[in-house]
Amino acid sequence: MEDGQVLLYSNSVNARETKIPYPWLVFNEKIKVNSVFLRDSTAVSDSVLLLFGGSLSKGDADNHLKMLGGYLEFFMEPTVADMYQSIRRELDDFIQSKV
């Protein structure tokens, strides 16, 4: 957020793609040369972000979920929002039990 526009590192696989199939990128490293570049990036779907991303909280309405303190917002059917929250809790509990 604080870096503004970023570019994909020229040697990365995603930099060669004309269209990235998912709306989000997760990355391992951010480098600043003359611009900010992302290395080791992977495109992910909304579902992957909701299930494995940062803390998830309920928004102002039943169909509203927020991440990163409201920086990311997702709107969906209320039953789907409840399902994501439930699966997320179960995944978090499962991962904690394995750690």
Side-chain angles (χ1 to χ4, degrees):
M1 296 182 308
E2 65 275 357
D3 292 321
Q5 181 180 1
V6 297
L7 303 170
L8 295 174
Y9 192 70
S10 60
N11 289 340
S12 73
V13 173
N14 283 329
R16 293 181 227 134
E17 296 296 321
T18 56
K19 181 173 167 99
I20 296 175
Y22 295 107
W24 305 103
L25 282 177
V26 294
F27 61 92
N28 181 48
E29 189 176 19
K30 184 170 59 169
I31 300 169
K32 185 169 186 172
V33 183
N34 53 354
S35 295
V36 178
F37 293 93
L38 302 180
R39 293 183 66 181
D40 305 323
S41 63
T42 301
V44 296
S45 66
D46 290 344
S47 293
V48 170
L49 196 62
L50 285 165
L51 294 175
F52 298 102
S55 63
L56 185 64
S57 62
K58 203 143 183 83
D60 300 330
D62 289 340
N63 66 339
H64 183 206
L65 295 177
K66 300 187 300 184
M67 292 182 86
L68 301 174
Y71 181 73
L72 298 178
E73 298 182 293
F74 299 90
F75 295 90
M76 61 203 74
E77 292 292 323
T79 55
V80 175
D82 291 340
M83 179 197 65
Y84 272 116
Q85 287 188 298
S86 175
I87 292 172
R88 178 65 184 266
R89 279 191 299 273
E90 290 184 32
L91 273 171
D92 288 345
D93 291 345
F94 177 74
I95 290 169
Q96 282 298 322
S97 73
K98 296 298 180 185
V99 174

